[in-house]
Amino acid sequence: MKKLLRGGFANDETAEIVRFGLELIIMKTVISSAMIAVAIAMGSLPEVLVFMAVFAPLRNNCGGYHSKTRPACFFTSILILAADIAAVKLIQDRAVILATAIFLILGTAHIISLAPVDTSTKPFDSIERVVFRRRSLLVNIAAVLATTALALFGLHRFALSASCAVLITGTLLAVGRIANKKGVAT
């Protein structure tokens, strides 16, 4: 930050915003790197990459529950990843197709009924709410289409992983809505 200030890339007025942005980039890089390392260790890299490709745009547009601290965010992210890996490894044979459909339907129902869900640290104004609602629905449609295409091409483990991303996003929306109603800072 000192180098940015000295180099004229930031000033005292923008320093906090720039610092926050840099911290966010670093945190997302650490979390993504850890997720990829865990995926490699568990032999699930392709499925995890599909999960991350579906989950990231959903999460960015739908909102929902956020951990209060960076370490809690890191561990929550790893737990979410573990849930995806467990689902892909444990659900087998014909149950994969059924689980994919159920996860997709439940997650989509939550997204349609709840998205977007803001947080106490980033409340939406009326315009943002409309914009993020539209984006949430469009990204969910893309996720449903991608998951369906994966299933139709017989890539059932990838479809299951994508549907896990939809379900977890929907779950985080519900938890975020509950936290907001209870006045819990998220």
Side-chain angles (χ1 to χ4, degrees):
M1 195 64 226
K2 289 179 184 178
K3 283 185 178 184
L4 290 174
L5 288 169
R6 272 187 260 136
F9 296 104
N11 57 41
D12 291 336
E13 293 175 13
T14 61
E16 279 306 308
I17 295 169
V18 172
R19 182 184 319 273
F20 176 77
L22 289 172
E23 288 175 359
L24 192 62
I25 289 169
I26 291 167
M27 185 181 71
K28 285 187 176 202
T29 301
V30 168
I31 289 172
S32 295
S33 298
M35 288 178 139
I36 289 171
V38 168
I40 290 169
M42 298 299 296
S44 298
L45 182 61
E47 294 89 347
V48 167
L49 291 176
V50 168
F51 174 84
M52 291 170 68
V54 174
F55 185 70
L58 280 169
R59 186 78 166 122
N60 289 336
N61 289 288
C62 294
Y65 176 79
H66 284 274
S67 299
K68 294 177 187 173
T69 66
R70 287 185 177 90
C73 177
F74 178 82
F75 289 113
T76 301
S77 297
I78 297 301
L79 284 174
I80 286 169
L81 180 71
D84 176 60
I85 292 172
V88 170
K89 290 198 175 285
L90 296 174
I91 301 172
Q92 298 293 317
D93 303 321
R94 291 184 180 192
V96 170
I97 296 168
L98 180 62
T100 298
I102 290 170
F103 291 177
L104 203 58
I105 291 166
L106 290 174
T108 295
H110 277 101
I111 291 168
I112 290 170
S113 64
L114 299 173
V117 174
D118 57 359
T119 65
S120 60
T121 57
K122 189 184 181 305
F124 294 135
D125 63 28
S126 59
I127 293 172
E128 288 173 321
R129 186 165 303 285
V130 170
V131 168
F132 279 96
R133 170 86 178 145
R134 186 174 299 128
R135 286 183 186 173
S136 297
L137 296 176
L138 289 173
V139 172
N140 189 67
I141 289 168
V144 169
L145 292 174
T147 304
T148 303
L150 289 167
L152 290 174
F153 284 107
L155 301 169
H156 299 294
R157 293 167 54 95
F158 296 113
L160 179 61
S161 195
S163 71
C164 283
V166 175
L167 178 64
I168 290 169
T169 300
T171 302
L172 291 171
L173 289 172
V175 172
R177 181 67 60 93
I178 292 166
N180 287 349
K181 285 185 179 180
K182 290 184 175 182
V184 178
T186 61

